[in-house]
Amino acid sequence: MAKEEMAAEREGARVWKGHDEALKKAVSLLEEIGLPGGLLPLVDVDEIGYVEATGYMWITQKKKIEHEFKLAGKLVSYDSNITGYLEKLRIKKLKGVKAKELLLWPPVGEIKVDDPSTGKIHFKSFAGITKTFDVEAFAPGQ
C-alpha cells in the first residue's frame, strides 16, 4: 500500500537526477517559495522530484548527513530520504530532518518564514516545540 501511495503523490512530478543538477534545483525551489537557499546543505544527491500541482517534493541522497549551522548554533541531521510540501514561505509535513536539542533529536515537521518579513525563520517539531532564528543563519554557504 505504501508504494501505491508514494506513486500517487509523485504523479505528474518533474525529476532532476545527479548531484549538481538536483542540488541546484533544490536551492532554486527553496528560493522561489521565499525560504533561504542554504536550508538543505545536501551531499551526494541522487534525485529531487517536485509536483507543482500539490507542492510535494522529495530528495534522495546517498547517505544520511549532519550539518552544523554555526550562526544558529544548531546541529541538523538530514536523512537519505527527505519529503515535504512546499508552499509560499513554508515547508509543511517535512520528513527526514531532525535538529539536536540537548540530548534529543526531535524531527522538524514545518519550516516557516514570517510574512511580512521580520528576518526570522521558525522551525516546528511534531512535538509542538518551535525554535526561531535569523534567516541569515541559513543562507547558502553557512
Side-chain angles (χ1 to χ4, degrees), residues 10 42-47 58-65 77-83 95-97:
R10 295 181 177 195
L42 305 168
V43 179
D44 291 330
V45 178
D46 287 328
E47 79 175 20
W58 74 90
I59 299 170
T60 59
Q61 54 184 351
K62 293 189 187 329
K63 63 181 180 176
K64 173 182 167 178
I65 65 159
S77 170
Y78 297 88
D79 203 352
S80 57
N81 293 302
I82 300 166
T83 63
K95 293 182 182 169
V97 178

mmCIF file of all heavy atoms in Angstrom, residues 10 42-47 58-65 77-83 95-97:
data_model
loop_
_atom_site.group_PDB
_atom_site.id
_atom_site.type_symbol
_atom_site.label_atom_id
_atom_site.label_comp_id
_atom_site.label_asym_id
_atom_site.label_seq_id
_atom_site.Cartn_x
_atom_site.Cartn_y
_atom_site.Cartn_z
ATOM 1 N N ARG A 10 3.600 11.197 -6.224
ATOM 2 C CA ARG A 10 4.619 11.611 -7.196
ATOM 3 C C ARG A 10 4.086 11.758 -8.617
ATOM 4 O O ARG A 10 4.828 12.144 -9.513
ATOM 5 C CB ARG A 10 5.781 10.621 -7.181
ATOM 6 C CG ARG A 10 6.520 10.631 -5.860
ATOM 7 C CD ARG A 10 7.676 9.690 -5.854
ATOM 8 N NE ARG A 10 8.399 9.787 -4.593
ATOM 9 C CZ ARG A 10 9.606 9.298 -4.387
ATOM 10 N NH1 ARG A 10 10.227 8.657 -5.351
ATOM 11 N NH2 ARG A 10 10.192 9.430 -3.230
ATOM 12 N N LEU A 42 22.888 19.614 1.258
ATOM 13 C CA LEU A 42 22.898 18.194 0.938
ATOM 14 C C LEU A 42 24.216 17.756 0.310
ATOM 15 O O LEU A 42 24.921 18.544 -0.300
ATOM 16 C CB LEU A 42 21.732 17.893 -0.001
ATOM 17 C CG LEU A 42 20.366 18.343 0.532
ATOM 18 C CD1 LEU A 42 19.322 18.272 -0.553
ATOM 19 C CD2 LEU A 42 19.965 17.521 1.735
ATOM 20 N N VAL A 43 24.509 16.455 0.444
ATOM 21 C CA VAL A 43 25.741 15.867 -0.093
ATOM 22 C C VAL A 43 25.365 14.621 -0.884
ATOM 23 O O VAL A 43 24.537 13.827 -0.444
ATOM 24 C CB VAL A 43 26.700 15.486 1.056
ATOM 25 C CG1 VAL A 43 27.962 14.851 0.520
ATOM 26 C CG2 VAL A 43 27.029 16.698 1.902
ATOM 27 N N ASP A 44 25.963 14.446 -2.049
ATOM 28 C CA ASP A 44 25.725 13.251 -2.881
ATOM 29 C C ASP A 44 24.241 13.018 -3.161
ATOM 30 O O ASP A 44 23.701 11.945 -2.884
ATOM 31 C CB ASP A 44 26.335 12.001 -2.240
ATOM 32 C CG ASP A 44 27.849 12.033 -2.244
ATOM 33 O OD1 ASP A 44 28.420 12.653 -3.163
ATOM 34 O OD2 ASP A 44 28.462 11.433 -1.333
ATOM 35 N N VAL A 45 23.573 14.018 -3.707
ATOM 36 C CA VAL A 45 22.148 13.921 -4.016
ATOM 37 C C VAL A 45 21.951 13.026 -5.242
ATOM 38 O O VAL A 45 22.639 13.182 -6.246
ATOM 39 C CB VAL A 45 21.552 15.323 -4.297
ATOM 40 C CG1 VAL A 45 20.082 15.219 -4.654
ATOM 41 C CG2 VAL A 45 21.749 16.233 -3.102
ATOM 42 N N ASP A 46 21.042 12.078 -5.137
ATOM 43 C CA ASP A 46 20.705 11.220 -6.274
ATOM 44 C C ASP A 46 19.643 11.870 -7.146
ATOM 45 O O ASP A 46 19.771 11.929 -8.356
ATOM 46 C CB ASP A 46 20.192 9.856 -5.799
ATOM 47 C CG ASP A 46 21.298 8.980 -5.245
ATOM 48 O OD1 ASP A 46 22.445 9.078 -5.729
ATOM 49 O OD2 ASP A 46 21.013 8.202 -4.310
ATOM 50 N N GLU A 47 18.559 12.334 -6.493
ATOM 51 C CA GLU A 47 17.485 12.965 -7.259
ATOM 52 C C GLU A 47 16.632 13.857 -6.382
ATOM 53 O O GLU A 47 16.597 13.720 -5.165
ATOM 54 C CB GLU A 47 16.614 11.922 -7.966
ATOM 55 C CG GLU A 47 15.608 11.228 -7.093
ATOM 56 C CD GLU A 47 14.673 10.294 -7.859
ATOM 57 O OE1 GLU A 47 14.985 9.861 -8.977
ATOM 58 O OE2 GLU A 47 13.616 9.994 -7.306
ATOM 59 N N TRP A 58 10.433 15.651 -2.996
ATOM 60 C CA TRP A 58 11.254 14.645 -2.330
ATOM 61 C C TRP A 58 12.697 14.792 -2.788
ATOM 62 O O TRP A 58 12.977 15.274 -3.872
ATOM 63 C CB TRP A 58 10.746 13.222 -2.577
ATOM 64 C CG TRP A 58 11.021 12.695 -3.951
ATOM 65 C CD1 TRP A 58 12.124 12.000 -4.373
ATOM 66 C CD2 TRP A 58 10.169 12.790 -5.098
ATOM 67 N NE1 TRP A 58 12.005 11.684 -5.708
ATOM 68 C CE2 TRP A 58 10.815 12.153 -6.167
ATOM 69 C CE3 TRP A 58 8.920 13.374 -5.311
ATOM 70 C CZ2 TRP A 58 10.256 12.078 -7.434
ATOM 71 C CZ3 TRP A 58 8.369 13.299 -6.576
ATOM 72 C CH2 TRP A 58 9.034 12.645 -7.617
ATOM 73 N N ILE A 59 13.579 14.402 -1.896
ATOM 74 C CA ILE A 59 15.011 14.425 -2.182
ATOM 75 C C ILE A 59 15.589 13.109 -1.693
ATOM 76 O O ILE A 59 15.288 12.677 -0.573
ATOM 77 C CB ILE A 59 15.716 15.585 -1.438
ATOM 78 C CG1 ILE A 59 15.154 16.926 -1.889
ATOM 79 C CG2 ILE A 59 17.224 15.527 -1.654
ATOM 80 C CD1 ILE A 59 15.623 18.097 -1.048
ATOM 81 N N THR A 60 16.403 12.471 -2.527
ATOM 82 C CA THR A 60 17.139 11.296 -2.081
ATOM 83 C C THR A 60 18.627 11.587 -2.233
ATOM 84 O O THR A 60 19.056 12.161 -3.231
ATOM 85 C CB THR A 60 16.760 10.025 -2.868
ATOM 86 O OG1 THR A 60 17.016 10.229 -4.247
ATOM 87 C CG2 THR A 60 15.302 9.664 -2.676
ATOM 88 N N GLN A 61 19.367 11.221 -1.193
ATOM 89 C CA GLN A 61 20.823 11.346 -1.244
ATOM 90 C C GLN A 61 21.424 10.016 -0.816
ATOM 91 O O GLN A 61 20.741 9.187 -0.224
ATOM 92 C CB GLN A 61 21.311 12.518 -0.390
ATOM 93 C CG GLN A 61 20.849 12.522 1.035
ATOM 94 C CD GLN A 61 21.304 13.773 1.769
ATOM 95 O OE1 GLN A 61 22.090 14.567 1.296
ATOM 96 N NE2 GLN A 61 20.808 13.949 2.980
ATOM 97 N N LYS A 62 22.689 9.809 -1.136
ATOM 98 C CA LYS A 62 23.319 8.510 -0.923
ATOM 99 C C LYS A 62 23.339 8.076 0.536
ATOM 100 O O LYS A 62 23.190 6.909 0.837
ATOM 101 C CB LYS A 62 24.731 8.499 -1.487
ATOM 102 C CG LYS A 62 24.746 8.600 -2.995
ATOM 103 C CD LYS A 62 26.121 8.383 -3.562
ATOM 104 C CE LYS A 62 26.238 8.642 -5.038
ATOM 105 N NZ LYS A 62 25.126 8.420 -5.881
ATOM 106 N N LYS A 63 23.508 9.027 1.459
ATOM 107 C CA LYS A 63 23.531 8.658 2.875
ATOM 108 C C LYS A 63 23.062 9.827 3.738
ATOM 109 O O LYS A 63 23.032 10.973 3.295
ATOM 110 C CB LYS A 63 24.930 8.224 3.294
ATOM 111 C CG LYS A 63 25.964 9.320 3.177
ATOM 112 C CD LYS A 63 27.342 8.832 3.586
ATOM 113 C CE LYS A 63 28.329 9.984 3.441
ATOM 114 N NZ LYS A 63 29.628 9.643 3.898
ATOM 115 N N LYS A 64 22.717 9.500 4.959
ATOM 116 C CA LYS A 64 22.324 10.493 5.959
ATOM 117 C C LYS A 64 23.528 11.383 6.258
ATOM 118 O O LYS A 64 24.666 10.909 6.307
ATOM 119 C CB LYS A 64 21.880 9.746 7.215
ATOM 120 C CG LYS A 64 21.593 10.588 8.397
ATOM 121 C CD LYS A 64 21.227 9.682 9.563
ATOM 122 C CE LYS A 64 21.234 10.477 10.845
ATOM 123 N NZ LYS A 64 20.838 9.669 11.987
ATOM 124 N N ILE A 65 23.275 12.695 6.469
ATOM 125 C CA ILE A 65 24.362 13.610 6.816
ATOM 126 C C ILE A 65 23.952 14.484 8.002
ATOM 127 O O ILE A 65 22.765 14.626 8.299
ATOM 128 C CB ILE A 65 24.773 14.524 5.636
ATOM 129 C CG1 ILE A 65 23.622 15.468 5.250
ATOM 130 C CG2 ILE A 65 25.256 13.719 4.458
ATOM 131 C CD1 ILE A 65 24.070 16.680 4.483
ATOM 132 N N SER A 77 20.323 16.971 11.293
ATOM 133 C CA SER A 77 20.518 15.698 10.618
ATOM 134 C C SER A 77 19.551 15.600 9.443
ATOM 135 O O SER A 77 18.359 15.869 9.594
ATOM 136 C CB SER A 77 20.243 14.555 11.605
ATOM 137 O OG SER A 77 20.198 13.318 10.938
ATOM 138 N N TYR A 78 20.088 15.218 8.281
ATOM 139 C CA TYR A 78 19.292 15.053 7.068
ATOM 140 C C TYR A 78 19.344 13.586 6.667
ATOM 141 O O TYR A 78 20.419 13.059 6.380
ATOM 142 C CB TYR A 78 19.835 15.927 5.930
ATOM 143 C CG TYR A 78 19.752 17.396 6.228
ATOM 144 C CD1 TYR A 78 20.773 18.056 6.902
ATOM 145 C CD2 TYR A 78 18.633 18.134 5.852
ATOM 146 C CE1 TYR A 78 20.683 19.407 7.195
ATOM 147 C CE2 TYR A 78 18.541 19.487 6.137
ATOM 148 C CZ TYR A 78 19.573 20.114 6.807
ATOM 149 O OH TYR A 78 19.481 21.450 7.093
ATOM 150 N N ASP A 79 18.204 12.927 6.637
ATOM 151 C CA ASP A 79 18.107 11.520 6.269
ATOM 152 C C ASP A 79 18.416 11.346 4.784
ATOM 153 O O ASP A 79 18.467 12.325 4.039
ATOM 154 C CB ASP A 79 16.694 11.013 6.580
ATOM 155 C CG ASP A 79 16.637 9.511 6.777
ATOM 156 O OD1 ASP A 79 17.644 8.825 6.522
ATOM 157 O OD2 ASP A 79 15.568 9.019 7.192
ATOM 158 N N SER A 80 18.580 10.108 4.353
ATOM 159 C CA SER A 80 18.833 9.858 2.929
ATOM 160 C C SER A 80 17.577 10.121 2.092
ATOM 161 O O SER A 80 17.680 10.339 0.890
ATOM 162 C CB SER A 80 19.344 8.435 2.712
ATOM 163 O OG SER A 80 18.416 7.504 3.228
ATOM 164 N N ASN A 81 16.412 10.117 2.724
ATOM 165 C CA ASN A 81 15.156 10.444 2.043
ATOM 166 C C ASN A 81 14.462 11.573 2.802
ATOM 167 O O ASN A 81 14.172 11.438 3.982
ATOM 168 C CB ASN A 81 14.215 9.233 1.985
ATOM 169 C CG ASN A 81 14.763 8.147 1.107
ATOM 170 O OD1 ASN A 81 15.025 8.365 -0.062
ATOM 171 N ND2 ASN A 81 14.969 6.961 1.673
ATOM 172 N N ILE A 82 14.207 12.668 2.101
ATOM 173 C CA ILE A 82 13.550 13.833 2.688
ATOM 174 C C ILE A 82 12.317 14.141 1.837
ATOM 175 O O ILE A 82 12.408 14.157 0.611
ATOM 176 C CB ILE A 82 14.503 15.049 2.680
ATOM 177 C CG1 ILE A 82 15.752 14.734 3.495
ATOM 178 C CG2 ILE A 82 13.798 16.291 3.211
ATOM 179 C CD1 ILE A 82 16.885 15.713 3.282
ATOM 180 N N THR A 83 11.185 14.366 2.498
ATOM 181 C CA THR A 83 9.964 14.711 1.771
ATOM 182 C C THR A 83 9.264 15.867 2.480
ATOM 183 O O THR A 83 9.490 16.114 3.670
ATOM 184 C CB THR A 83 8.973 13.528 1.684
ATOM 185 O OG1 THR A 83 8.561 13.170 3.008
ATOM 186 C CG2 THR A 83 9.589 12.328 0.984
ATOM 187 N N LYS A 95 9.552 15.502 6.426
ATOM 188 C CA LYS A 95 10.040 14.239 6.995
ATOM 189 C C LYS A 95 11.488 14.058 6.570
ATOM 190 O O LYS A 95 11.867 14.407 5.458
ATOM 191 C CB LYS A 95 9.202 13.061 6.501
ATOM 192 C CG LYS A 95 7.787 13.088 7.010
ATOM 193 C CD LYS A 95 7.014 11.890 6.556
ATOM 194 C CE LYS A 95 5.576 12.000 7.048
ATOM 195 N NZ LYS A 95 4.715 11.024 6.434
ATOM 196 N N GLY A 96 12.308 13.525 7.485
ATOM 197 C CA GLY A 96 13.700 13.238 7.170
ATOM 198 C C GLY A 96 14.673 14.288 7.673
ATOM 199 O O GLY A 96 15.861 14.226 7.374
ATOM 200 N N VAL A 97 14.197 15.263 8.471
ATOM 201 C CA VAL A 97 15.062 16.311 9.017
ATOM 202 C C VAL A 97 14.856 16.352 10.526
ATOM 203 O O VAL A 97 13.727 16.413 11.003
ATOM 204 C CB VAL A 97 14.741 17.692 8.397
ATOM 205 C CG1 VAL A 97 15.622 18.775 9.006
ATOM 206 C CG2 VAL A 97 14.908 17.659 6.885
#
